Amino acid sequence: MPRRPKAGAQIQKKIRDNDAVGFVNTKACKGCDLRARCTNAAFRKITRYTNEAILDRMAARLAARPEVMDLRRESVEHPFGSIKQWMGQRTFLTRRLENVRCEFSLTALAYNIRRALTLVGMVGLMRAISA
């Protein structure tokens, strides 16, 4: 049976390689009038990432200018569509996250080289590499 946390306890933990802080206040939950709306459990655990303030500021900026997300979506979708069409890469050939990251890095490198060749040509690319 898991131990019940102490009132006002802070719990340090990791969630997907991100530092997080959990907070529990069992005494406050016990006497709270809003508990029925908040949780069915004996108490509520609140978890925040240590860098969540940055995420909150980003969400506020995005809420103020939602058209920025449309612009980003347009600029990001083109490379992925090109990779799928040009290179026939609709699925990853490897398994496990580390291997998929490596495979995608190689694919992105090939895309970037091909794109550079299209934009500046072979002569311009060789001049840039030798500089």
Side-chain angles (χ1 to χ4, degrees):
M1 186 166 152
R3 286 184 354 195
R4 185 180 189 136
K6 294 181 181 180
Q10 282 194 355
I11 304 153
Q12 297 287 330
K13 59 183 176 178
K14 284 230 181 236
I15 300 174
R16 292 191 195 125
D17 293 332
N18 294 312
D19 293 328
V21 177
F23 182 77
V24 176
N25 193 340
T26 54
K27 288 182 182 176
C29 286
K30 195 178 287 188
C32 182
D33 296 332
L34 300 175
R35 188 169 136 227
R37 284 197 234 161
C38 184
T39 183
N40 294 331
F43 56 89
R44 182 172 178 181
K45 297 178 210 168
I46 298 173
T47 303
R48 297 266 300 175
Y49 293 111
T50 53
N51 62 347
E52 196 154 349
I54 297 168
L55 299 174
D56 291 342
R57 287 195 307 268
M58 183 185 69
R61 282 196 318 268
L62 187 60
R65 295 182 55 211
E67 70 278 359
V68 172
M69 191 63 183
D70 294 335
L71 181 63
R72 181 183 173 108
R73 192 174 295 119
E74 288 171 10
S75 62
V76 169
E77 288 297 323
H78 183 267
F80 286 106
S82 298
I83 286 170
K84 284 180 175 181
Q85 188 173 8
W86 292 347
M87 300 174 190
Q89 186 157 4
R90 300 207 174 270
T91 59
F92 289 105
L93 301 174
T94 58
R95 299 291 175 255
R96 296 195 324 250
L97 186 58
E98 183 181 346
N99 297 340
V100 169
R101 281 182 180 154
C102 181
E103 182 180 346
F104 183 76
S105 293
L106 291 171
T107 302
L109 178 65
Y111 171 82
N112 289 336
I113 292 171
R114 184 170 181 169
R115 189 83 175 114
L117 282 171
T118 302
L119 294 175
V120 298
M122 179 59 93
V123 175
L125 185 60
M126 294 308 291
R127 213 176 313 137
I129 290 173
S130 63

